[in-house]
Amino acid sequence: MNRRLFFWLEKLKITPSERIAVVSLMAVLSVISLLNLFIEPTTAANAEQYEAIRQEFEKRTAMIEQEEAQLMSRYYPEKLSATISTVAERDTLTSKADTTEKNKKSEEKEDASLINVNTASAQQLETLPGIGPVYSKRIIAYRESNDGFKTVDELIKIKGIGSKRLENIRPHVEI
């Protein structure tokens, strides 16, 4: 029997270290399978435990919603909290109101802060995005030599102002 095993292993060309690895792997697998026989599988939570967990969840959710409602009543008028039933509805409504109000303010600021490139000083031109002291001097020099700008697109003729920089400047300037 030993000779047959030896010849069989010789035909497979298994090295001694490979034999040790295979034998130890088989030993680990057999131990795990034996342990699996003796360990009882865990059972899922029964309906009573599930119901208790669900009730605890609902209780904590109600507490959190109550705390949020108290915080909202501090920061928002009573009229708003009385007309809107849930916290989520109140949040979406106030966030929409905030964004429209911010948009209106930014539009008003943009209209009020448009810079006329034909009359602006160097300091005013430097407030434009991407325009520093060098570019403001170039704009003023071009304006003086060409009797002012006729269109905003003429800014592209100034050295260093390309199409990208012009697009960044365009919403902030007027002629």
Side-chain angles (χ1 to χ4, degrees):
M1 178 77 163
N2 286 341
R3 288 182 90 191
R4 286 185 186 169
L5 181 62
F6 177 76
F7 287 120
W8 184 69
L9 291 174
E10 196 63 35
K11 281 185 180 180
L12 291 176
K13 296 183 180 176
I14 297 175
T15 63
S17 59
E18 290 173 339
R19 277 186 242 152
I20 293 171
V22 169
V23 168
S24 54
L25 182 61
M26 290 176 68
V28 168
L29 287 175
S30 61
V31 168
I32 289 174
S33 58
L34 282 174
L35 287 176
N36 198 16
L37 292 175
F38 295 111
I39 296 176
E40 294 180 19
T42 57
T43 58
N46 58 17
E48 294 171 1
Q49 290 174 335
Y50 177 75
E51 189 62 33
I53 291 171
R54 191 179 62 74
Q55 287 175 355
E56 182 68 25
F57 174 76
E58 289 175 358
K59 184 173 118 181
R60 288 185 184 182
T61 303
M63 286 174 34
I64 290 171
E65 286 179 352
Q66 184 180 11
E67 289 172 3
E68 285 179 2
Q70 288 174 352
L71 285 173
M72 291 300 192
S73 67
R74 287 184 191 169
Y75 297 107
Y76 297 103
E78 290 298 320
K79 185 177 182 181
L80 181 65
S81 61
T83 57
I84 301 169
S85 61
T86 65
V87 175
E89 288 176 4
R90 185 170 41 242
D91 286 345
T92 56
L93 212 137
T94 54
S95 67
K96 286 180 185 175
D98 288 344
T99 44
T100 56
E101 189 174 307
K102 287 178 185 175
N103 288 342
K104 286 179 184 176
K105 287 181 181 178
S106 65
E107 287 174 4
E108 290 172 4
K109 286 182 183 177
E110 285 179 10
D111 292 341
S113 66
L114 286 179
I115 296 173
N116 188 337
V117 290
N118 286 325
T119 59
S121 66
Q123 290 82 13
Q124 289 174 326
L125 290 171
E126 288 174 20
T127 61
L128 294 171
I131 302 295
V134 174
Y135 287 117
S136 64
K137 288 177 186 174
R138 289 179 188 169
I139 291 171
I140 292 171
Y142 181 88
R143 172 176 77 195
E144 290 171 355
S145 65
N146 294 316
D147 295 327
F149 294 94
K150 281 108 180 121
T151 64
V152 177
D153 292 328
E154 265 186 89
L155 285 168
I156 206 159
K157 294 180 180 177
I158 296 170
K159 182 181 177 185
I161 296 181
S163 59
K164 271 193 171 185
R165 192 178 305 254
L166 179 62
E167 290 306 314
N168 289 338
I169 296 171
R170 188 182 301 276
H172 304 285
V173 296
E174 65 181 0
I175 301 297

